[in-house]
Amino acid sequence: MYGDIWIKLYKKHKIKNDYTISAEKENTEQSLYEAYKHLDISAPIWSKKNFSEWENHNITRFFADDFMDEFPYDSMELVFILHEEKNNL
């Protein structure tokens, strides 16, 4: 599956920064690291809960405690948006 990952960074319940990057659902790690670099944040620590939400619902959320380095936001939400396949008739 091919689509986009929309990364939203929240502070006081408002989106303060966001970024969208193209990715394959089965291989999102490289795209996410590029996005983290662009947003100037470190990679979060993925828990079983995050993996489960990502696999089952194409969305997951991280909080400041999920980052080893300082995280200047309250939370980060990742959403996978699937590209629609066009039928060639």
Side-chain angles (χ1 to χ4, degrees), residues 24-65:
E24 289 184 53
K25 176 71 182 214
E26 297 78 20
N27 189 17
T28 59
E29 190 172 317
Q30 183 62 35
S31 296
L32 284 172
Y33 280 110
E34 289 176 33
Y36 299 151
K37 185 176 179 180
H38 176 82
L39 293 165
D40 196 27
I41 59 173
S42 64
I45 298 170
W46 285 66
S47 67
K48 288 181 182 180
K49 173 188 160 290
N50 296 116
F51 282 114
S52 177
E53 290 172 342
W54 188 248
E55 287 299 314
N56 296 318
H57 306 291
N58 294 331
I59 188 170
T60 192
R61 185 177 288 250
F62 298 90
F63 298 93
D65 290 345

